[in-house]
Amino acid sequence: TLEPLAEIDEGSAVLTAEGDQRALRVDTATLPAIDGYYELWLLAADGTAMVSLGPVEAGRVYQVPAAVDVDVFSVVDISREPADGDPTHSTDSVLRGGLEPLT
């Protein structure tokens, strides 16, 4: 479950694995329209690093690169991003939640 950090209902994220392929399916049906866009991130649990998985798009399944250790990058974060060409996190997170380990 992704908990709201702003005036947004909760969302969800499910990590799946098939062989060595990992995918993240995110349900963000309640995200309101904004100037700019929403971006999906995986954050290190200790807050020291993050990886962008790209802009949030309805119905999209995000491939998690093999080099990304989901035991380390175990927090899903969705942020509001301005359309300013800056690839770094805006610090304006709207949803966040932890991933459960793959079994």
Side-chain angles (χ1 to χ4, degrees):
T1 300
L2 302 178
E3 299 295 330
L5 301 174
E7 65 291 338
I8 293 176
D9 292 335
E10 71 179 28
S12 65
V14 177
L15 181 66
T16 59
E18 188 172 316
D20 61 352
Q21 299 290 316
R22 294 167 303 158
L24 189 63
R25 182 179 307 275
V26 180
D27 176 8
T28 57
T30 62
L31 290 176
I34 59 170
D35 288 334
Y37 62 99
Y38 294 99
E39 182 130 4
L40 177 63
W41 306 83
L42 289 178
L43 309 179
D46 64 5
T48 60
M50 64 184 67
V51 175
S52 171
L53 295 182
V56 173
E57 299 168 2
R60 180 174 171 193
V61 176
Y62 298 83
Q63 298 304 308
V64 178
V68 175
D69 183 345
V70 293
D71 291 329
V72 173
F73 292 91
S74 59
V75 177
V76 176
D77 179 273
I78 295 176
S79 64
R80 282 186 278 234
E81 299 292 332
D84 60 3
D86 184 349
T88 60
H89 194 290
S90 67
T91 71
D92 187 9
S93 295
V94 296
L95 291 169
R96 185 176 291 167
L99 289 173
E100 295 185 17
L102 287 169
T103 54

